[in-house]
């Protein structure tokens, strides 16, 4: 699902001439917090399910801060 989306995006970018390598070991994730304090890892009893209705492509600077939104597309399914 998310891994398939990542594969299709990389294939589409490569198809228009941008050379984007597939990242081995890609692990989809959602960042919930940016903070200087570390939060200990914990195992959950069940997965957290979050409905996703759109895909947002963001361009980030070298220091990781958001520079601009490239676009947003609805996910139909």
């Amino acid at each position: 699902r998310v891994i398939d989306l990542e594969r299709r995006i990389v294939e589409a970018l490569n198809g228009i001439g941008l050379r984007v390598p597939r990242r081995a070991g890609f692990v989809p994730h959602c960042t919930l917090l940016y903070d200087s304090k570390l939060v200990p890892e914990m195992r959950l009893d069940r997965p957290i399910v979050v409905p996703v209705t759109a895909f947002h492509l963001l361009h980030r600077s070298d220091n990781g801060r958001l520079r601009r939104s490239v676009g947003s597309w609805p996910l139909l399914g």
Side-chain angles (χ1 to χ4, degrees), residues 42-48:
M42 67 174 66
R43 185 171 287 284
L44 301 175
D45 293 334
R46 56 191 165 104
I48 298 172

Side-chain angles (χ1 to χ4, degrees), residues 5-73:
L5 177 61
E6 185 261 352
R7 178 187 50 78
R8 291 176 65 188
I9 289 169
V10 169
E11 288 173 357
L13 291 171
N14 286 330
I16 62 169
L18 297 173
R19 293 293 156 231
V20 180
R22 291 278 321 269
R23 295 184 300 170
F26 171 68
V27 177
H29 69 280
C30 179
T31 301
L32 301 176
L33 173 70
Y34 283 108
D35 198 336
S36 58
K37 291 185 269 182
L38 218 58
V39 177
E41 186 175 321
M42 67 174 66
R43 185 171 287 284
L44 301 175
D45 293 334
R46 56 191 165 104
I48 298 172
V49 178
V50 179
V52 178
T53 59
F55 172 75
H56 300 270
L57 182 59
L58 306 174
H59 184 263
R60 295 193 174 272
S61 65
D62 290 337
N63 65 6
R65 296 189 191 274
L66 177 64
R67 288 176 77 185
R68 64 183 170 88
S69 173
V70 175
S72 176
W73 300 267

